[in-house]
Amino acid sequence: MIRHLVFDLDGTLVPSNDVKRSAFFECSDHVPEAAEIIAEMLDADPTRDRFRVFDDLVDRLPDCGNAADLVECYSLLCHARIVALLLAGETAALLDLLEARGLVLHLSSGTPRTALVAMMEETGLDRHFDSIYGAPGDKADRLMEIMQRHALQPLELAVVGDGDSDARAAEAVGAAFLRVADDASDLYGRPAGEAFTFLLERLSCASSGVAA
């Protein structure tokens, strides 16, 4: 029986994948040539983080300025926009329903942990999560830590996410993986009750061994 759920954030609980991609371009739009280089980098590796993107960009286009300043611009834009999305949706209500069901919730994201915790605290969502993991760190290692800390068997843990990194992490520890649409439409932008029912159905399939 699944007792713990580990959520990804971007593209899972909130439709922020496009928010993050567009912020790269906005913070470097003072140098027209930057857009093509950033698109090339992100198309080659969509998981490339803000630090690598702007370090590589400044190496290739020094006119873009200081990489740390670009990271700060990006971080501020993403924080404001993602917080607004989280507050506008029914994420808190969904998490309330899951907790009332007796599930223990965790958050595991590729977002830097400092930025992730700041967003969770500002929205009040931090109270729902037993643990919050952000970059750096390996997602499979985080799952192992959760399992060890709570003495869980693999069948008692499920990962909810939109990306292959979430799927690989779940597979590495033998946990169930519940893939959702990468625009977060399965869990965001619909009444919390509907999202809750959707997750319960997927959890039931995973617990019975049916592909979720």
Side-chain angles (χ1 to χ4, degrees):
M1 177 181 179
I2 293 170
R3 300 194 292 120
H4 287 241
L5 287 183
V6 183
F7 284 94
D8 178 38
L9 179 64
D10 299 306
T12 299
L13 288 175
V14 63
S16 49
N17 287 331
D18 288 344
V19 167
K20 288 192 161 184
R21 184 179 175 93
S22 65
F24 282 117
F25 297 96
E26 289 184 54
C27 289
S28 58
D29 63 4
H30 56 289
V31 180
E33 298 87 351
E36 183 176 351
I37 294 174
I38 288 175
E40 174 188 305
M41 288 192 284
L42 295 179
D43 289 344
D45 180 9
T47 66
R48 186 185 294 247
D49 67 36
R50 64 195 74 185
F51 303 102
R52 289 175 57 206
V53 168
F54 289 124
D55 280 345
D56 292 349
L57 179 65
V58 170
D59 282 345
R60 295 171 64 175
L61 280 179
D63 286 348
C64 286
N66 184 280
D69 292 339
L70 294 171
V71 168
E72 179 69 7
C73 169
Y74 176 92
S75 299
L76 290 172
L77 278 179
C78 290
H79 178 93
R81 292 172 183 175
I82 295 172
V83 163
L85 285 169
L86 287 168
L87 291 173
E90 295 195 21
T91 306
L94 169 61
L95 300 179
D96 277 333
L97 289 170
L98 293 168
E99 287 181 294
R101 186 79 174 190
L103 291 160
V104 180
L105 311 179
H106 307 266
L107 186 64
S108 179
S109 170
T111 298
R113 188 175 188 279
T114 301
L116 182 63
V117 170
M119 288 189 288
M120 293 302 102
E121 289 180 344
E122 185 166 337
T123 57
L125 295 179
D126 58 314
R127 67 182 176 86
H128 295 283
F129 297 110
D130 181 82
S131 56
I132 297 176
Y133 294 93
D138 179 77
K139 287 193 171 185
D141 289 344
R142 299 169 187 173
L143 297 180
M144 284 299 300
E145 182 177 315
I146 291 169
M147 292 170 66
Q148 290 169 2
R149 189 168 73 246
H150 295 277
L152 299 177
Q153 296 299 313
L155 293 179
E156 295 177 296
L157 182 70
V159 177
V160 184
D162 68 310
D164 292 339
S165 63
D166 303 305
R168 288 192 297 268
E171 182 179 11
V173 302
F177 176 59
L178 282 60
R179 184 181 290 275
V180 296
D182 63 8
D183 61 358
S185 58
D186 287 326
L187 303 181
Y188 184 93
R190 65 197 301 184
E194 289 184 13
F196 176 66
T197 299
F198 168 84
L199 274 179
L200 287 188
E201 290 173 351
R202 302 293 295 277
L203 286 171
S204 177
C205 290
S207 295
S208 63
V210 178

